mmCIF file of all heavy atoms in Angstrom:
data_model
loop_
_atom_site.group_PDB
_atom_site.id
_atom_site.type_symbol
_atom_site.label_atom_id
_atom_site.label_comp_id
_atom_site.label_asym_id
_atom_site.label_seq_id
_atom_site.Cartn_x
_atom_site.Cartn_y
_atom_site.Cartn_z
ATOM 1 N N PHE O 82 -175.272 -8.290 153.672
ATOM 2 C CA PHE O 82 -173.853 -7.965 153.541
ATOM 3 C C PHE O 82 -173.232 -7.921 154.936
ATOM 4 O O PHE O 82 -173.796 -7.345 155.862
ATOM 5 C CB PHE O 82 -173.655 -6.602 152.879
ATOM 6 C CG PHE O 82 -174.159 -6.505 151.461
ATOM 7 C CD1 PHE O 82 -175.512 -6.349 151.207
ATOM 8 C CD2 PHE O 82 -173.279 -6.557 150.387
ATOM 9 C CE1 PHE O 82 -175.994 -6.248 149.905
ATOM 10 C CE2 PHE O 82 -173.744 -6.459 149.081
ATOM 11 C CZ PHE O 82 -175.108 -6.309 148.841
ATOM 12 N N VAL O 83 -172.067 -8.520 155.084
ATOM 13 C CA VAL O 83 -171.341 -8.473 156.349
ATOM 14 C C VAL O 83 -169.855 -8.330 156.061
ATOM 15 O O VAL O 83 -169.325 -8.974 155.155
ATOM 16 C CB VAL O 83 -171.617 -9.730 157.208
ATOM 17 C CG1 VAL O 83 -171.208 -11.012 156.490
ATOM 18 C CG2 VAL O 83 -170.911 -9.639 158.565
ATOM 19 N N ALA O 84 -169.191 -7.465 156.808
ATOM 20 C CA ALA O 84 -167.760 -7.225 156.616
ATOM 21 C C ALA O 84 -166.940 -8.132 157.516
ATOM 22 O O ALA O 84 -167.350 -8.462 158.634
ATOM 23 C CB ALA O 84 -167.427 -5.768 156.906
ATOM 24 N N PHE O 85 -165.795 -8.538 157.005
ATOM 25 C CA PHE O 85 -164.811 -9.293 157.781
ATOM 26 C C PHE O 85 -163.550 -8.429 157.884
ATOM 27 O O PHE O 85 -162.672 -8.481 157.017
ATOM 28 C CB PHE O 85 -164.511 -10.634 157.110
ATOM 29 C CG PHE O 85 -165.619 -11.635 157.245
ATOM 30 C CD1 PHE O 85 -166.689 -11.624 156.369
ATOM 31 C CD2 PHE O 85 -165.613 -12.569 158.270
ATOM 32 C CE1 PHE O 85 -167.728 -12.530 156.492
ATOM 33 C CE2 PHE O 85 -166.647 -13.487 158.406
ATOM 34 C CZ PHE O 85 -167.710 -13.467 157.516
ATOM 35 N N PRO O 86 -163.441 -7.595 158.945
ATOM 36 C CA PRO O 86 -162.328 -6.657 159.064
ATOM 37 C C PRO O 86 -160.953 -7.318 159.033
ATOM 38 O O PRO O 86 -159.984 -6.736 158.531
ATOM 39 C CB PRO O 86 -162.578 -5.980 160.414
ATOM 40 C CG PRO O 86 -164.037 -6.143 160.652
ATOM 41 C CD PRO O 86 -164.395 -7.459 160.054
ATOM 42 N N GLY O 87 -160.854 -8.542 159.561
ATOM 43 C CA GLY O 87 -159.563 -9.220 159.600
ATOM 44 C C GLY O 87 -159.154 -9.844 158.294
ATOM 45 O O GLY O 87 -158.027 -10.347 158.165
ATOM 46 N N SER O 88 -160.045 -9.842 157.305
ATOM 47 C CA SER O 88 -159.757 -10.491 156.019
ATOM 48 C C SER O 88 -159.892 -9.550 154.828
ATOM 49 O O SER O 88 -159.698 -9.976 153.688
ATOM 50 C CB SER O 88 -160.700 -11.694 155.818
ATOM 51 O OG SER O 88 -160.589 -12.598 156.882
ATOM 52 N N ASP O 89 -160.230 -8.290 155.093
ATOM 53 C CA ASP O 89 -160.381 -7.295 154.016
ATOM 54 C C ASP O 89 -161.402 -7.753 152.980
ATOM 55 O O ASP O 89 -161.169 -7.687 151.771
ATOM 56 C CB ASP O 89 -159.035 -7.007 153.340
ATOM 57 C CG ASP O 89 -157.946 -6.625 154.339
ATOM 58 O OD1 ASP O 89 -158.296 -6.106 155.418
ATOM 59 O OD2 ASP O 89 -156.762 -6.869 154.047
ATOM 60 N N LYS O 90 -162.558 -8.214 153.480
ATOM 61 C CA LYS O 90 -163.592 -8.740 152.591
ATOM 62 C C LYS O 90 -164.978 -8.361 153.097
ATOM 63 O O LYS O 90 -165.180 -8.135 154.294
ATOM 64 C CB LYS O 90 -163.525 -10.273 152.517
ATOM 65 C CG LYS O 90 -162.246 -10.846 151.966
ATOM 66 C CD LYS O 90 -162.255 -12.369 152.081
ATOM 67 C CE LYS O 90 -160.952 -12.981 151.574
ATOM 68 N NZ LYS O 90 -160.932 -14.453 151.761
ATOM 69 N N ILE O 91 -165.928 -8.325 152.156
ATOM 70 C CA ILE O 91 -167.344 -8.243 152.490
ATOM 71 C C ILE O 91 -168.014 -9.460 151.872
ATOM 72 O O ILE O 91 -167.815 -9.756 150.690
ATOM 73 C CB ILE O 91 -167.986 -6.948 151.963
ATOM 74 C CG1 ILE O 91 -167.405 -5.734 152.696
ATOM 75 C CG2 ILE O 91 -169.513 -6.991 152.122
ATOM 76 C CD1 ILE O 91 -167.878 -4.402 152.138
ATOM 77 N N LEU O 92 -168.797 -10.153 152.668
ATOM 78 C CA LEU O 92 -169.501 -11.334 152.193
ATOM 79 C C LEU O 92 -170.940 -10.965 151.862
ATOM 80 O O LEU O 92 -171.612 -10.281 152.638
ATOM 81 C CB LEU O 92 -169.488 -12.418 153.270
ATOM 82 C CG LEU O 92 -170.004 -13.802 152.852
ATOM 83 C CD1 LEU O 92 -169.015 -14.474 151.914
ATOM 84 C CD2 LEU O 92 -170.223 -14.674 154.085
ATOM 85 N N VAL O 93 -171.400 -11.408 150.689
ATOM 86 C CA VAL O 93 -172.781 -11.192 150.271
ATOM 87 C C VAL O 93 -173.509 -12.531 150.350
ATOM 88 O O VAL O 93 -173.005 -13.545 149.852
ATOM 89 C CB VAL O 93 -172.859 -10.645 148.830
ATOM 90 C CG1 VAL O 93 -174.283 -10.211 148.498
ATOM 91 C CG2 VAL O 93 -171.879 -9.487 148.624
ATOM 92 N N PHE O 94 -174.676 -12.552 150.972
ATOM 93 C CA PHE O 94 -175.386 -13.820 151.142
ATOM 94 C C PHE O 94 -176.888 -13.631 150.946
ATOM 95 O O PHE O 94 -177.407 -12.510 151.014
ATOM 96 C CB PHE O 94 -175.101 -14.419 152.519
ATOM 97 C CG PHE O 94 -175.568 -13.563 153.672
ATOM 98 C CD1 PHE O 94 -176.823 -13.763 154.244
ATOM 99 C CD2 PHE O 94 -174.753 -12.574 154.194
ATOM 100 C CE1 PHE O 94 -177.255 -12.977 155.302
ATOM 101 C CE2 PHE O 94 -175.177 -11.778 155.255
ATOM 102 C CZ PHE O 94 -176.433 -11.980 155.816
ATOM 103 N N ARG O 95 -177.572 -14.749 150.706
ATOM 104 C CA ARG O 95 -179.025 -14.739 150.565
ATOM 105 C C ARG O 95 -179.644 -15.197 151.887
ATOM 106 O O ARG O 95 -179.490 -16.357 152.287
ATOM 107 C CB ARG O 95 -179.462 -15.659 149.426
ATOM 108 C CG ARG O 95 -180.917 -15.447 149.006
ATOM 109 C CD ARG O 95 -181.313 -16.365 147.863
ATOM 110 N NE ARG O 95 -180.463 -16.238 146.697
ATOM 111 C CZ ARG O 95 -180.525 -15.253 145.806
ATOM 112 N NH1 ARG O 95 -181.398 -14.264 145.988
ATOM 113 N NH2 ARG O 95 -179.733 -15.234 144.767
ATOM 114 N N PRO O 96 -180.345 -14.302 152.592
ATOM 115 C CA PRO O 96 -180.882 -14.651 153.908
ATOM 116 C C PRO O 96 -181.866 -15.816 153.883
ATOM 117 O O PRO O 96 -181.939 -16.584 154.848
ATOM 118 C CB PRO O 96 -181.591 -13.355 154.348
ATOM 119 C CG PRO O 96 -180.947 -12.276 153.558
ATOM 120 C CD PRO O 96 -180.580 -12.891 152.250
ATOM 121 N N SER O 97 -182.606 -15.972 152.805
ATOM 122 C CA SER O 97 -183.636 -17.008 152.758
ATOM 123 C C SER O 97 -183.064 -18.424 152.694
ATOM 124 O O SER O 97 -183.719 -19.378 153.099
ATOM 125 C CB SER O 97 -184.550 -16.780 151.555
ATOM 126 O OG SER O 97 -183.804 -16.806 150.346
ATOM 127 N N THR O 98 -181.830 -18.545 152.197
ATOM 128 C CA THR O 98 -181.245 -19.881 152.037
ATOM 129 C C THR O 98 -179.879 -20.030 152.696
ATOM 130 O O THR O 98 -179.405 -21.154 152.889
ATOM 131 C CB THR O 98 -181.082 -20.211 150.542
ATOM 132 O OG1 THR O 98 -180.159 -19.268 149.961
ATOM 133 C CG2 THR O 98 -182.417 -20.143 149.816
ATOM 134 N N GLY O 99 -179.213 -18.912 153.017
ATOM 135 C CA GLY O 99 -177.852 -18.977 153.528
ATOM 136 C C GLY O 99 -176.816 -19.084 152.428
ATOM 137 O O GLY O 99 -175.617 -19.196 152.698
ATOM 138 N N GLU O 100 -177.265 -19.049 151.180
ATOM 139 C CA GLU O 100 -176.346 -19.161 150.036
ATOM 140 C C GLU O 100 -175.401 -17.963 149.991
ATOM 141 O O GLU O 100 -175.830 -16.817 150.131
ATOM 142 C CB GLU O 100 -177.152 -19.229 148.743
ATOM 143 C CG GLU O 100 -176.305 -19.223 147.479
ATOM 144 C CD GLU O 100 -177.138 -19.056 146.212
ATOM 145 O OE1 GLU O 100 -178.375 -18.895 146.325
ATOM 146 O OE2 GLU O 100 -176.539 -19.071 145.123
ATOM 147 N N ILE O 101 -174.115 -18.231 149.782
ATOM 148 C CA ILE O 101 -173.127 -17.169 149.608
ATOM 149 C C ILE O 101 -173.141 -16.732 148.149
ATOM 150 O O ILE O 101 -172.924 -17.532 147.241
ATOM 151 C CB ILE O 101 -171.730 -17.645 150.031
ATOM 152 C CG1 ILE O 101 -171.715 -17.945 151.528
ATOM 153 C CG2 ILE O 101 -170.677 -16.593 149.691
ATOM 154 C CD1 ILE O 101 -170.426 -18.551 152.036
ATOM 155 N N LEU O 102 -173.422 -15.453 147.923
ATOM 156 C CA LEU O 102 -173.578 -14.930 146.571
ATOM 157 C C LEU O 102 -172.286 -14.357 146.000
ATOM 158 O O LEU O 102 -172.034 -14.462 144.801
ATOM 159 C CB LEU O 102 -174.665 -13.840 146.549
ATOM 160 C CG LEU O 102 -176.047 -14.285 147.016
ATOM 161 C CD1 LEU O 102 -176.990 -13.088 147.057
ATOM 162 C CD2 LEU O 102 -176.601 -15.365 146.099
ATOM 163 N N ALA O 103 -171.473 -13.758 146.854
ATOM 164 C CA ALA O 103 -170.250 -13.128 146.354
ATOM 165 C C ALA O 103 -169.342 -12.763 147.516
ATOM 166 O O ALA O 103 -169.781 -12.661 148.670
ATOM 167 C CB ALA O 103 -170.575 -11.867 145.546
ATOM 168 N N THR O 104 -168.065 -12.604 147.199
ATOM 169 C CA THR O 104 -167.095 -12.049 148.137
ATOM 170 C C THR O 104 -166.489 -10.812 147.486
ATOM 171 O O THR O 104 -166.006 -10.869 146.357
ATOM 172 C CB THR O 104 -165.987 -13.054 148.463
ATOM 173 O OG1 THR O 104 -166.559 -14.202 149.096
ATOM 174 C CG2 THR O 104 -164.963 -12.436 149.396
ATOM 175 N N ILE O 105 -166.539 -9.694 148.193
ATOM 176 C CA ILE O 105 -166.050 -8.424 147.661
ATOM 177 C C ILE O 105 -164.763 -8.050 148.380
ATOM 178 O O ILE O 105 -164.727 -7.944 149.608
ATOM 179 C CB ILE O 105 -167.100 -7.309 147.864
ATOM 180 C CG1 ILE O 105 -168.424 -7.698 147.195
ATOM 181 C CG2 ILE O 105 -166.587 -5.990 147.323
ATOM 182 C CD1 ILE O 105 -169.577 -6.761 147.543
ATOM 183 N N ALA O 106 -163.691 -7.876 147.623
ATOM 184 C CA ALA O 106 -162.418 -7.440 148.203
ATOM 185 C C ALA O 106 -162.475 -5.942 148.492
ATOM 186 O O ALA O 106 -162.975 -5.154 147.678
ATOM 187 C CB ALA O 106 -161.274 -7.757 147.249
ATOM 188 N N THR O 107 -161.959 -5.541 149.647
ATOM 189 C CA THR O 107 -161.982 -4.142 150.055
ATOM 190 C C THR O 107 -160.572 -3.667 150.413
ATOM 191 O O THR O 107 -159.616 -4.434 150.378
ATOM 192 C CB THR O 107 -162.889 -3.949 151.284
ATOM 193 O OG1 THR O 107 -162.274 -4.593 152.416
ATOM 194 C CG2 THR O 107 -164.276 -4.537 151.049
ATOM 195 N N ALA O 108 -160.487 -2.398 150.798
ATOM 196 C CA ALA O 108 -159.250 -1.890 151.381
ATOM 197 C C ALA O 108 -159.104 -2.504 152.781
ATOM 198 O O ALA O 108 -159.934 -3.295 153.216
ATOM 199 C CB ALA O 108 -159.279 -0.370 151.435
#
Side-chain angles (χ1 to χ4, degrees):
F82 297 78
V83 59
F85 287 84
S88 303
D89 307 334
K90 298 174 182 177
I91 293 174
L92 189 71
V93 189
F94 62 94
R95 194 179 304 282
S97 59
T98 63
E100 175 190 3
I101 295 174
L102 301 175
T104 298
I105 303 171
T107 68

